[in-house]
Amino acid sequence: MRSISIHLVVAARPNMMKIAPVFQKLKEKSWAKFKLIHTGQHYDKEMSNVFLQDLQLPSPDFLLSVGSGTHAQQTARVMERYEEVCIQDNPDIVIVAGDVNSTMACAIVAKKLQKHLAHLEAGLRSFDRSMPEEINRILTDSISDILWTPSRDANEQLLKEGISPDSIDFVGNIMMDSFEMLRKKIEACSTLDDFGFKHKKFGVVTLHRPSNVDDPNSLKNIIETLSRISREIPLVFPVHPRTRERLEKNNLLDKLNKMQSIVLTQPLDYVQFMSLVKSSSAVITDSGGVQEETTYLGIPCLTLRETTERPITVTEGTNRLVSIENLEANLKTLLQGGCVNARVPEFWDGKTAERVVESLERFCQRKRML
Ligand code: UD1
């Protein structure tokens, strides 16, 4: 049997969670020869190394060390550096995940070098083109040969955009595979003790979207609201580097540090973070992945955004889109009543990586590569 050479691309924290389960499943297949490419979009220890280790990913075969910059700088650096690797290493298939700048950059490089391109987590749309991720999603999907979707509404969206049905495969939500892969560790983790939250009600906060943290007034308003909320329920807030920078710049970090009922931490590793979320009474976030994880775990989630590219977390799950004006009222209602009628969406079952690898094998057979 011929073997297929595959590049698995990671760049930022959320990509690592998506690629890790696929990496583990591919290991079982003798036909798959694969390499891990890390663009280095996230480079802090807490944002990268700790995640790779936690998710049982090895050191990358190629580390492109692109770092931060404007969108154009970051995208251009990824393209230049990945192009060299892609030419030199000449993979048959490139797998990209999610919607970060590196996802789109590597997708364009791979396709222009006429590689087969697969997008894991395809078909999500917020319909808000002011979000950089929306541009990354649309562009990546439009040139992918295999589009792996997390929910059926994503299939419908791709069909509306004229993508051939043969290219689309509904595989389910890969983030649940990461959770199941590490469930034992998550359940045995001592983070709750470390923060003094064992047997207590508490909330978790994560914020990093430009729409919330880049505007000083909006950031100040959020911090004041969190301060009021923390008088009702203590909060733990792992601070993303982008948010830390903005808090410091606007003299809000000291203020926040002095609030007794808000515990500020560095970004947590995956196991610690999931163990907190799993035991929390509610989560306040603007992340994409956290909306899905809370739906999976049945934890009320308040998303500080006007739109979501994951509407199924609202229609079927525990997610509510809120504004800073109505956050407190919504939280109160959720803490009293919980999330009635919420359920876990179809194929969010920890078996997505298996379906991804089966789909990949079928693609290779169809193309007579295997
Ligand atoms: C990126 C993704 C976003 C994803 C998020 C997850 C894009 C457009 N955005 O946002 O979709 O939800 O990752 O975390 O791709 N920084 C550090 N250390 C790091 C990484 C970043 O200090 O390891 C700081 C830098 O000041 C940098 C800023 O954070 O300028 C923003 O980083 P960047 O990778 O551009 O975007 P994120 O906000 O992390």
Side-chain angles (χ1 to χ4, degrees):
M1 194 187 236
R2 253 200 75 192
S3 67
I4 304 293
S5 68
I6 302 166
H7 277 182
L8 294 163
V9 178
V10 297
R13 236 174 12 173
N15 304 135
M16 299 172 197
M17 266 108 80
K18 290 164 197 157
I19 289 295
V22 176
F23 184 97
Q24 301 306 339
K25 272 285 156 238
L26 279 177
K27 270 204 235 154
E28 296 167 13
K29 304 291 172 188
S30 55
W31 52 265
K33 301 267 171 290
F34 51 97
K35 289 193 179 153
L36 191 65
I37 318 296
H38 187 347
T39 69
Q41 176 170 342
H42 281 174
Y43 45 87
D44 281 357
K45 194 165 155 276
E46 298 85 13
M47 303 294 284
S48 176
N49 301 26
V50 164
F51 262 72
L52 291 180
Q53 279 159 23
D54 239 13
L55 292 159
Q56 297 159 13
L57 285 168
S59 296
D61 296 281
F62 295 97
L63 176 60
L64 309 183
S65 303
V66 299
S68 303
T70 65
H71 284 271
Q73 286 165 345
Q74 195 174 52
T75 308
R77 248 180 262 143
V78 174
M79 288 182 71
E80 278 185 2
R81 295 184 193 179
Y82 183 55
E83 186 181 54
E84 257 179 52
V85 168
C86 205
I87 290 171
Q88 176 201 325
D89 204 53
N90 196 24
D92 298 308
I93 297 182
V94 176
I95 300 181
V96 296
D99 55 15
V100 302
N101 285 343
S102 304
T103 305
M104 174 193 69
C106 291
I108 294 174
V109 168
K111 206 57 228 156
K112 288 200 167 180
L113 290 172
Q114 299 181 26
K115 307 298 170 199
H116 298 292
L117 175 66
H119 185 204
L120 178 55
E121 201 186 71
L124 298 186
R125 298 289 180 269
S126 66
F127 304 101
D128 173 3
R129 291 194 177 190
S130 69
M131 281 181 84
E133 294 81 2
E134 183 75 351
I135 310 298
N136 297 340
R137 291 188 278 261
I138 293 169
L139 293 180
T140 305
D141 284 343
S142 70
I143 54 172
S144 291
D145 304 296
I146 314 175
L147 297 101
W148 289 312
T149 61
S151 48
R152 290 196 190 274
D153 53 332
N155 288 45
E156 282 162 30
Q157 181 57 33
L158 292 172
L159 291 173
K160 271 190 215 152
E161 291 177 19
I163 308 268
S164 153
D166 297 342
S167 312
I168 309 170
D169 221 339
F170 169 44
V171 291
N173 194 321
I174 194 70
M175 303 274 282
M176 278 66 258
D177 289 44
S178 308
F179 186 89
E180 290 308 328
M181 204 170 96
L182 293 167
R183 180 186 276 276
K184 279 206 183 105
K185 275 195 179 171
I186 293 166
E187 287 173 348
C189 177
S190 64
T191 310
L192 286 184
D193 278 345
D194 302 346
F195 289 120
F197 283 143
K198 203 157 188 182
H199 310 304
K200 279 197 189 156
K201 280 195 157 197
F202 67 94
V204 178
V205 178
T206 82
L207 295 167
H208 73 282
R209 293 272 159 220
S211 57
N212 284 323
V213 306
D214 283 6
D215 173 49
N217 285 332
S218 135
L219 189 59
K220 190 160 168 267
N221 208 350
I222 291 175
I223 301 308
E224 280 165 6
T225 309
L226 292 179
S227 163
R228 284 196 302 278
I229 290 176
S230 73
R231 287 182 215 132
E232 307 294 321
I233 180 167
L235 300 172
V236 55
F237 182 1
V239 186
H240 186 284
R242 177 190 199 98
T243 310
R244 182 170 291 273
E245 194 189 274
R246 300 298 194 272
L247 287 168
E248 267 170 2
K249 206 166 128 197
N250 294 293
N251 299 320
L252 290 166
L253 194 59
D254 278 348
K255 212 168 155 186
L256 201 49
N257 260 321
K258 285 189 193 125
M259 295 178 190
Q260 299 227 322
S261 300
I262 302 188
V263 182
L264 288 194
T265 75
Q266 294 292 322
L268 298 174
D269 66 40
Y270 178 72
V271 169
Q272 287 177 320
F273 183 69
M274 287 321 302
S275 112
L276 271 185
V277 169
K278 189 167 180 289
S279 301
S280 69
S281 303
V283 176
I284 298 167
T285 192
D286 58 12
S287 147
V290 176
Q291 296 173 51
E292 300 177 330
E293 288 159 338
T294 44
T295 274
Y296 187 58
L297 296 171
I299 307 289
C301 180
L302 295 149
T303 300
L304 257 176
R305 285 173 45 182
E306 287 174 8
T307 56
T308 178
E309 62 288 341
R310 294 156 161 96
I312 201 165
T313 59
V314 177
T315 53
E316 295 190 15
T318 59
N319 191 19
R320 305 276 175 283
L321 298 187
V322 296
S323 66
I324 195 62
E325 288 76 28
N326 65 28
L327 170 64
E328 277 172 279
N330 271 293
L331 181 63
K332 213 169 252 172
T333 315
L334 275 181
L335 288 176
Q336 280 161 3
C339 292
V340 274
N341 297 332
R343 64 183 172 101
V344 176
E346 185 184 2
F347 277 5
W348 293 28
D349 57 1
K351 297 191 174 116
T352 292
E354 222 169 282
R355 289 187 283 268
V356 163
V357 172
E358 280 165 15
S359 163
L360 191 63
E361 194 167 359
R362 280 196 303 273
F363 175 87
C364 294
Q365 282 160 352
R366 256 200 333 268
K367 296 276 170 198
R368 303 190 187 287
M369 295 158 73
L370 273 180

